[in-house]
């Protein structure tokens, strides 16, 4: 009885002091576990499609956990979870945002009575996107967009701003032309939008919008990406939720994909005058960056990327698609965590019909301590990041007949873990969920 009371007291403390407690536990934990989330689904593909499947993958870490999901103009639904249980929950396809505009019935709110994690996924034939959804406690008021732009000059680049439960004023300092409410706004213009509670704003452009600054009076969530990205594969949705400037870091490891025969792209964005140094394979470079400047660095299998900066930066990895095992795999976008956000325990979620892979970065001395669902990780080829004491490797895992979550751990060393999967004319990628 006493232990139950203590547990209840701890849960109440977490609920009442959520932001403070999470700040003590570390930025990575604060960024991914929470009790309230807001998100939306950007457009997937060139045109609106009836075959789009929208879903949330929700994982509970305590038992029992009650989760409610609400969408404006619809009745909220409740779900009961057991400890370490994951559920794949369909979201009405009508919530997908198409075109540029303000959407009153597209914001999804997720609430729970214990900390949970949330992953969003948008899928249609040969086009899948997946992203970690960050809790309201981790949101901020300043962001910079990243929109991969390798495709033809079409209005495929996009980002979305999701407002919480209060009226808000949002200023968007554009890096490219957008059409909004019948008016054209050019690069260098400021677009100001008054947003009602739980409204979402989506902007699309034929121009690259990378470096576009987004400033709000109260915290918002921001998604960024491309609804139809092209390069080494055909039209595919890529998207990711941005972290606010206040949560950016200064040291990053970007491991290459083991099957990429061409190249992928790392995007680096600065919010102020910043010196960025990076090692790509054996090549060392230095770049002076300005606020809103976006740097593209090619990532090849033989050129793992290590980045340091004099001030906080944002780093994203764009898998550009390609060919492997005689199959064409599609693209995805992943936010790269800085080293201060590394964790000792992760939850990783695979999908059926995909080759699911965990991409790991860890200090070389700690490789032997890694565990996958409690078992040693074997049969991994490890590669060194030049001039560092870190290595990277990829671990393929099977799911059986059903998708599900797995735990990747180390007893005492923090490490980086990215999750991705490839299939014929498809692909997904996301950060793994830090749970310790």
């Amino acid at each position: 009885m006493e232990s139950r009371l203590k547990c209840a007291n701890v849960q109440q403390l977490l609920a009442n002091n959520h932001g403070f407690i999470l700040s003590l536990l570390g930025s990575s934990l604060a960024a991914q576990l929470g009790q309230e989330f807001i998100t939306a689904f950007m457009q997937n593909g060139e045109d609106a499609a009836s075959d789009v499947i929208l879903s949330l993958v929700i994982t509970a870490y305590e038992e029992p956990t009650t989760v409610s999901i609400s969408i404006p103009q619809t009745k909220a639904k409740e779900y009961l979870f057991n400890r370490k249980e994951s559920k794949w929950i369909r979201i009405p396809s009508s919530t997908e945002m198409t075109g540029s505009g303000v959407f009153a019935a597209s914001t999804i709110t997720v609430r729970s009575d214990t900390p949970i994690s949330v992953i969003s996924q948008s899928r249609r034939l040969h086009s899948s996107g997946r992203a970690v959804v960050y809790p309201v406690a981790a949101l901020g008021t300043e962001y910079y967009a990243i929109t991969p732009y390798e495709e033809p000059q079409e209005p495929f680049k996009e980002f979305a701003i999701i407002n919480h439960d209060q009226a808000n004023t949002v200023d968007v300092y554009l890096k490219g032309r957008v059409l909004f409410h019948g008016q054209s706004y050019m690069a260098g213009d400021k677009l100001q939008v008054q947003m009602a509670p739980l409204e979402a704003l989506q902007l699309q452009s034929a121009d690259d919008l990378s470096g576009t600054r987004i400033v709000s009076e109260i915290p918002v969530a921001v998604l960024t990406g491309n609804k139809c990205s092209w390069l080494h594969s055909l039209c595919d949705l890529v998207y990711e939720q941005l972290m606010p400037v206040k949560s950016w870091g200064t040291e990053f490891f970007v491991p290459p994909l083991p099957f990429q025969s061409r190249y992928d792209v790392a995007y680096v964005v600065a919010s102020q005058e910043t010196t960025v140094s990076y090692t790509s394979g054996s090549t060392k470079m230095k770049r002076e960056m300005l606020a809103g400047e976006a740097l593209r660095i090619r990532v090849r299998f033989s050129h793992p990327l290590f980045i340091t900066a004099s001030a906080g930066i944002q780093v994203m990895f764009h898998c550009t698609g390609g060919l492997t095992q005689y199959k064409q795999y599609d693209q995805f976008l992943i936010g790269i965590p800085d080293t201060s956000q590394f964790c000792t325990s992760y939850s990783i979620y695979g999908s059926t019909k995909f080759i699911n892979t965990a991409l790991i970065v860890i200090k070389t001395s700690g490789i032997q301590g890694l565990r996958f669902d409690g078992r040693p990780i074997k049969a991994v080829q490890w590669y060194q990041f030049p001039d560092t004491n870190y290595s990277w490797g990829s671990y393929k895992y099977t799911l059986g007949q059903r998708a599900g979550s797995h735990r990747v751990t180390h007893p005492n060393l923090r490490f980086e873990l990215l999750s991705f999967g490839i299939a014929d004319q498809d692909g997904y990628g996301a950060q793994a969920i830090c749970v310790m």
Side-chain angles (χ1 to χ4, degrees):
M1 181 68 176
E2 183 181 357
S3 62
R4 290 183 180 179
L5 287 173
K6 287 181 179 178
C7 181
N9 290 337
V10 169
Q11 289 180 349
Q12 187 63 42
L13 181 64
L14 282 168
N16 293 339
N17 301 277
H18 190 249
F20 174 71
I21 295 295
L22 290 178
S23 69
L24 292 179
L25 293 175
S27 60
S28 54
L29 182 58
Q32 295 178 324
L33 298 187
Q35 293 177 248
E36 184 177 16
F37 303 76
I38 54 172
T39 193
F41 288 93
M42 297 195 296
Q43 184 172 336
N44 182 346
E46 296 183 59
D47 304 301
S50 59
D51 68 335
V52 67
I53 299 174
L54 309 178
S55 55
L56 298 177
V57 181
I58 298 176
T59 302
Y61 301 92
E62 298 179 22
E63 182 178 15
T65 292
T66 301
V67 175
S68 70
I69 299 177
S70 59
I71 303 169
Q73 304 173 18
T74 64
K75 184 179 180 180
K77 295 183 178 181
E78 285 196 352
Y79 302 84
L80 185 64
F81 287 73
N82 296 317
R83 183 173 180 265
K84 294 185 179 180
E85 182 181 8
S86 297
K87 290 185 179 181
W88 191 292
I89 299 170
R90 288 282 295 270
I91 301 298
S93 60
S94 58
T95 61
E96 182 189 46
M97 300 179 289
T98 58
S100 292
V102 174
F103 299 82
S106 290
T107 297
I108 300 115
T109 302
V110 180
R111 294 187 176 92
S112 68
D113 56 1
T114 69
I116 60 172
S117 63
V118 180
I119 296 171
S120 70
Q121 178 164 297
S122 173
R123 186 173 187 182
R124 57 187 293 188
L125 184 64
H126 304 319
S127 181
S128 293
R130 179 185 292 191
V132 172
V133 180
Y134 298 118
V136 169
L139 302 181
T141 58
E142 184 181 15
Y143 297 85
Y144 284 83
I146 292 177
T147 56
Y149 60 90
E150 285 80 8
E151 81 293 330
Q153 288 299 108
E154 299 289 343
F156 295 159
K157 279 74 69 177
E158 61 184 358
F159 64 84
I161 302 166
I162 301 105
N163 193 29
H164 195 213
D165 56 3
Q166 301 178 50
N168 204 354
T169 299
V170 179
D171 292 329
V172 181
Y173 299 86
L174 292 163
K175 286 286 188 172
R177 178 182 178 273
V178 300
L179 189 65
F180 180 69
H181 285 177
Q183 183 175 344
S184 181
Y185 295 84
M186 308 303 293
D189 288 348
K190 181 180 81 169
L191 169 61
Q192 185 173 88
V193 182
Q194 304 296 325
M195 300 186 69
L198 299 179
E199 279 189 335
L201 165 68
Q202 179 172 264
L203 294 175
Q204 297 177 334
S205 179
D207 298 339
D208 178 25
L209 298 175
S210 298
T212 293
R213 183 176 178 233
I214 299 154
V215 180
S216 60
E217 288 187 350
I218 61 175
V220 293
V222 180
L223 303 174
T224 194
N226 190 310
K227 68 178 181 178
C228 184
S229 182
W230 295 60
L231 187 54
H232 301 141
S233 64
L234 301 180
C235 178
D236 193 53
L237 169 70
V238 298
Y239 77 99
E240 178 67 290
Q241 181 168 346
L242 294 172
M243 290 298 291
V245 171
K246 68 177 183 179
S247 300
W248 289 4
T250 59
E251 185 177 71
F252 300 81
F253 288 92
V254 185
L257 297 180
F259 47 76
Q260 178 59 270
S261 60
R262 297 180 180 178
Y263 65 86
D264 296 311
V265 179
Y267 286 85
V268 179
V269 173
S271 67
Q272 57 184 292
E273 291 186 9
T274 304
T275 301
V276 175
S277 302
Y278 62 93
T279 301
S280 175
S282 60
T283 303
K284 295 184 178 182
M285 301 288 289
K286 183 176 289 188
R287 176 77 173 265
E288 300 297 331
M289 297 185 67
L290 302 175
E293 185 177 356
L295 172 65
R296 296 172 73 250
I297 306 171
R298 290 188 177 185
V299 181
R300 303 179 189 273
F301 178 76
S302 59
H303 292 71
L305 187 61
F306 175 56
I307 306 171
T308 60
S310 61
I313 56 173
Q314 177 174 243
V315 179
M316 285 203 179
F317 176 80
H318 176 206
C319 167
T320 58
L323 255 160
T324 184
Q325 298 176 341
Y326 308 104
K327 292 183 179 181
Q328 174 109 25
Y329 63 91
D330 279 343
Q331 306 175 50
F332 50 83
L333 189 66
I334 303 180
I336 301 296
D338 75 286
T339 54
S340 71
Q341 295 177 320
F342 288 6
C343 294
T344 59
S345 179
Y346 291 91
S347 176
I348 191 171
Y349 196 93
S351 293
T352 57
K353 300 180 181 179
F354 283 79
I355 300 173
N356 297 284
T357 304
L359 195 57
I360 306 167
V361 176
I362 190 169
K363 284 185 177 180
T364 307
S365 61
I367 288 173
Q368 298 303 317
L370 286 167
R371 297 292 184 269
F372 188 93
D373 288 339
R375 298 184 298 272
I377 294 180
K378 299 179 179 179
V380 173
Q381 178 67 54
W382 293 97
Y383 303 89
Q384 191 83 15
F385 278 90
D387 300 324
T388 76
N389 58 353
Y390 280 81
S391 294
W392 67 273
S394 59
Y395 178 73
K396 295 179 183 178
Y397 61 96
T398 57
L399 297 175
Q401 298 300 312
R402 299 182 61 187
S405 63
H406 300 267
R407 189 64 63 89
V408 185
T409 62
H410 194 283
N412 49 49
L413 275 184
R414 294 176 178 269
F415 61 99
E416 174 183 343
L417 184 63
L418 306 177
S419 169
F420 67 88
I422 59 172
D424 191 23
Q425 300 184 62
D426 214 342
Y428 76 82
Q431 290 186 33
I433 301 292
C434 169
V435 293
M436 188 178 296

